[in-house]
Amino acid sequence: MGEAERGESAPRARISFWCSNGHETQPSFAHDAQLPDIWDCPRCGFPAGQDKDSPPDPPRTEPYKTHLAYVRERRSDEDGEAILAEALAKLRGEI
């Protein structure tokens, strides 16, 4: 199926986007399309912008935390001891 069957394609423009690793990608957009501010780099996945000298900052990645680490953020050691004592009392039938 060629242009004869589908009609003429819309006029296009290739726009350059750069990520913080210096990768350039040039997606094609219709001339009358609204251009996005940020485009994902297909090589590294970082956000890319149209300003080569000032690309967007890469996203901050938080280190993996275990469930226990999240619990320790919310509870003090004293709270943990009290909860543990209560749970043990229930298991022993004291409550």
Side-chain angles (χ1 to χ4, degrees):
M1 185 177 230
E3 282 190 20
E5 291 85 20
R6 290 184 282 173
E8 292 185 34
S9 61
R12 302 259 176 212
R14 295 188 70 82
I15 306 297
S16 292
F17 288 85
W18 288 272
C19 71
S20 59
N21 287 333
H23 302 140
E24 178 184 14
T25 184
Q26 292 183 326
S28 179
F29 296 96
H31 276 288
D32 58 351
Q34 183 177 359
L35 299 177
D37 294 330
I38 295 177
W39 192 262
D40 288 338
C41 177
R43 290 182 62 191
C44 65
F46 285 177
Q50 294 181 34
D51 186 1
K52 183 178 182 177
D53 297 325
S54 180
D57 293 328
R60 289 189 56 215
T61 55
E62 296 292 326
Y64 174 77
K65 288 185 189 177
T66 64
H67 177 71
L68 181 58
Y70 283 110
V71 170
R72 286 187 173 160
E73 283 181 359
R74 296 189 313 265
R75 309 267 188 212
S76 67
D77 288 341
E78 294 81 24
D79 290 342
E81 290 293 329
I83 292 169
L84 178 61
E86 182 182 336
L88 289 173
K90 282 183 183 178
L91 286 174
R92 293 181 184 134
E94 298 170 4
I95 295 181

